[in-house]
Amino acid sequence: MITNVPGICLVTSYADCVPLYFVDPVKKAIGLSHSGWRGTVGKIGKNTVQLMQENFGSKPEDLLAAVGPSVCMDCYEVSEDVIEQFKEAFEKKYWEDLFYKKENGKYQLNLWKANELIFLESGILPEHMAITNVCTHCNSKILYSHRTMGNNRGNLCAFLALK
Ligand SMILES: [Zn+2]
């Protein structure tokens, strides 16, 4: 979701998936996207930046971007079919930063790193990024985590609005 209308609050909900926030302080526009593994492999963050460019004339080098609290690499086990899609979406030189295979045949996947790479690919400057180190699953006493609580859970929300 994107807007340049002050007072409209964008809201997305999460419980382990990754919130992405975008602010353009020059053109006064914002964007918010929900980047679970499907959104991440489809590079929804890059799509959001492109939409801000097309609709508001945003320049990637002006944007401030953040990855919000979500599941960390150590807590995020996925199967090989998910990894196959990440191998198609990301160059091989990044694979060792993005995932590793375990003895049980499953993988651990780093959605924070993947979204950081997507920010860079979109033209956002490293000094304009904030990447969380807060995991929802590691902190499930205070944050909602689907991996901890299953369907018996609430939602965390990301909020973003222009004054
Ligand atoms: Zn964790």
Side-chain angles (χ1 to χ4, degrees), residues 70-76 112 135-139:
S70 40
V71 72
C72 76
M73 186 183 204
D74 289 339
C75 293
Y76 197 46
W112 298 347
C135 170
T136 42
H137 187 66
C138 291
N139 296 284

Side-chain angles (χ1 to χ4, degrees), residues 117-154:
L117 291 173
I118 291 165
F119 286 170
L120 286 169
E121 193 180 316
S122 305
I124 294 169
L125 303 175
E127 61 267 35
H128 289 172
M129 295 176 194
I131 312 293
T132 189
N133 60 4
V134 176
C135 170
T136 42
H137 187 66
C138 291
N139 296 284
S140 59
K141 287 202 170 105
I142 54 166
L143 299 171
Y144 289 117
S145 166
H146 186 78
R147 297 225 153 202
T148 312
M149 304 168 212
N151 290 326
N152 189 23
R153 62 162 170 82

Side-chain angles (χ1 to χ4, degrees), residues 83-100:
I83 293 300
E84 288 306 320
Q85 295 185 51
F86 275 79
K87 285 180 175 174
E88 280 179 33
F90 293 91
E91 286 181 60
K92 194 169 186 179
K93 64 179 176 182
Y94 299 126
W95 292 359
E96 71 177 306
D97 291 332
L98 290 176
F99 53 80
Y100 64 88

Side-chain angles (χ1 to χ4, degrees), residues 44-110:
I44 195 170
K46 192 175 177 183
N47 296 347
T48 310
V49 171
Q50 282 170 352
L51 275 180
M52 292 178 74
Q53 289 178 271
E54 289 163 20
N55 286 274
F56 309 130
S58 295
K59 292 181 182 161
E61 62 268 32
D62 292 332
L63 294 180
L64 310 176
V67 168
S70 40
V71 72
C72 76
M73 186 183 204
D74 289 339
C75 293
Y76 197 46
E77 185 185 81
V78 297
S79 53
E80 185 149 21
D81 57 314
V82 171
I83 293 300
E84 288 306 320
Q85 295 185 51
F86 275 79
K87 285 180 175 174
E88 280 179 33
F90 293 91
E91 286 181 60
K92 194 169 186 179
K93 64 179 176 182
Y94 299 126
W95 292 359
E96 71 177 306
D97 291 332
L98 290 176
F99 53 80
Y100 64 88
K101 191 171 188 178
K102 302 184 298 177
E103 285 178 4
N104 67 1
K106 302 269 191 178
Y107 292 77
Q108 295 298 126
L109 175 62
N110 190 339

